[in-house]
Structure formats: structure tokens, C-alpha cells
Amino acid sequence: MKIKKLYLIIVIAVLFVFLISSCEQKPKDTLYQVSTIDALLDGAYDGEIKFGEVKKHGDFGIGTFDAIDGEMIALDGQFYQIKTDGKAYRVSSATKTPFADVCFFKPEQRIVIKKKLTFDQLKQFIDKLLPTKNIFYAIKIKGNFNYVKARSVPKQKKPYPPLAEVVKDQVVFEFHDKKGTAIGFYSPSYVKGIGVPEYHMHFLQDNRKKGGHILDLTISHAVIEIDYLDKFYLVLPKNASFLNADLAKDRQAELQKVEK
Ligand SMILES: [Zn+2]
């Protein structure tokens, strides 16, 4: 009788733990984004969401900081800030972001490449791996980088200039023969105005000391992992810099200038 009772208690305890853990499940295949790329292009750089909150929605991603103070990289749940000295600083939970894209990285595809590819060749290679161009993908490329040209942007003061002005003062770093990871997303073309259509990648060295927003690269040996994202969660800032931004005009030409 006593053993039966004990058995019952164990079963109830196990069920309870299972129930609790299933309630706390991480969002799957969901891209979580703070603000829109056009708001950032217009100069809406006021941080809105704390990284403590962003972390609840992803362990992998890219973005920027309040007053556009550098490039953000999240890898394996660690968040880094690449400032204009090219160095990677750990991000505190209280720091705020005006723009970020994150997800919990769980790849559906894993491919090893053993040939030398330029950035354009790499993008064409990944293009062929994507089952459709109509959903989002998180992309992680870990390997030997023969070359990486990356940048960061300097922190701005109010009144904030548009991003196309800020990038005129961007600082460019060049990496030669470094091991590292390219982290980013592929977004469908219909995302225009909200996100960056096609590829947007940041770089972090394996020693996690340096990185930046990728402008160009050559890679020779790498593992490409792709996470299919078929859900998109957009958080719009409530601050004046977003609410007063001019978000009616077409900024695709501006985006091209800023990204490359
Ligand atoms: Zn970027």
C-alpha cells in the first residue's frame, strides 16, 4: 500500500514538472524584431526594449543600441556590443535597443563547405539551400574567414541624423585569416520597410573579442546552419523618436547605401 502511494506521488510530481516546463517553452521558429529598419534609417535611435527582455525571445541575432552605439551580435545566448574601436563588449540586461532581430537558434539544415567563396558566391550558395524565398531564415556560418570587412557606427547625439549620414562616419575593420562566426538573417523581399530584404550578417571572431556588421568577406572552410523561421513577432517602440519618424517614404535606395 505504502509503495503504491509513493508511486502515485512520484507520478504526480513528474507530471507537474512536465507541465511547468512545457509552459516555459521557448518560442520556436519565431523571428522577434524590435522596431522597423525604416525607423532606424530615419534616425529613430532611442532605445526602447531592454536586452533583459530581448533575451527572453532569442539567444541568437543582430541589432544595435540606444543612440546607435555600435553593432549588436548575439551568439549562444551571449550578447555583444561592437563599438567603433572594433572590440566586443558584453551587454548588460539594462541596456536598451532601438532595433534588434533575435530567435532561438535551432537549425533545420547543416552544410559543410570546403571551397573558397566570396560574399556574393556565399549568398548565391545559400540561396540554393533555401526551400522557399518566402519565409525568414536565421543563418549561422562558422569557419575560417580568409577576409572580413566589417564596420561599426559611432554613438549619436540628438537631434539624431539619418542613418545614411551616420554611416559616412562608420569605422571599417579588416580581418585576415580569422576563425569566427557570421550571424544573421535572410528576409523575404516583401519585408521592405520593416526589415532588411535578403541577407543581413554580422561577424564575431572565435575569441569573441572583435567583430562588426559585415560589408564583405571571403570564406574557405565553414559549416553553414540554417534555421527556418515561419513566424514573425514585431514590437513597435512607444517613444517619440519612433512615433514621430517619417515612415511613409520608400527608403530602399537609402538602405542599399547604408548596408554596403
Ligand atoms: Zn548590421
Side-chain angles (χ1 to χ4, degrees), residues 71 119 145 148-151 181-183 200-204 212-217 259-260:
E71 307 281 349
F119 199 16
F145 291 79
V148 179
K149 185 180 176 186
R151 69 109 195 271
T181 308
I183 294 130
H200 181 188
M201 310 288 298
H202 288 186
F203 177 71
L204 185 65
H213 167 109
I214 298 174
L215 299 170
D216 196 12
L217 63 78
E259 290 296 311
K260 284 156 190 171

Side-chain angles (χ1 to χ4, degrees), residues 90-249:
R90 292 292 288 273
V91 178
S92 81
S93 297
T95 305
K96 287 182 174 178
T97 179
F99 183 86
D101 273 317
V102 297
C103 70
F104 286 104
F105 193 75
K106 265 200 142 194
E108 267 90 11
Q109 252 197 86
R110 187 175 183 275
I111 303 98
V112 178
I113 52 160
K114 287 177 180 169
K115 55 185 171 187
K116 205 167 183 175
L117 296 175
T118 63
F119 199 16
D120 282 338
Q121 288 168 336
L122 177 67
K123 287 189 254 189
Q124 284 161 16
F125 183 83
I126 297 170
D127 274 350
K128 291 190 193 122
L129 302 173
L130 307 179
T132 168
K133 292 271 184 90
N134 296 341
I135 63 168
F136 296 83
Y137 299 94
I139 299 164
K140 181 173 164 184
I141 304 161
K142 186 170 165 57
N144 299 326
F145 291 79
N146 304 81
Y147 174 70
V148 179
K149 185 180 176 186
R151 69 109 195 271
S152 186
V153 285
K155 184 177 181 177
Q156 299 297 304
K157 287 194 181 90
K158 287 185 182 183
Y160 293 137
L163 196 52
E165 290 301 313
V166 175
V167 293
K168 287 178 185 166
D169 298 324
Q170 71 183 12
V171 183
V172 173
F173 324 109
E174 289 185 302
F175 300 89
H176 296 275
D177 300 315
K178 297 287 183 220
K179 283 190 194 323
T181 308
I183 294 130
F185 296 91
Y186 171 92
S187 300
S189 332
Y190 62 74
V191 85
K192 284 184 193 95
I194 294 170
V196 178
E198 302 196 329
Y199 298 92
H200 181 188
M201 310 288 298
H202 288 186
F203 177 71
L204 185 65
Q205 243 181 268
D206 263 4
N207 63 14
R208 303 198 173 189
K209 290 195 167 146
K210 286 181 175 183
H213 167 109
I214 298 174
L215 299 170
D216 196 12
L217 63 78
T218 309
I219 197 162
S220 59
H221 189 287
V223 178
I224 302 173
E225 290 179 296
I226 305 171
D227 185 3
Y228 303 177
L229 308 173
D230 58 7
K231 288 177 273 292
F232 184 49
Y233 189 104
L234 181 63
V235 181
L236 298 175
K238 292 178 200 76
N239 60 50
S241 95
F242 177 84
L243 297 176
N244 298 325
D246 173 11
L247 302 181
K249 86 181 200 201

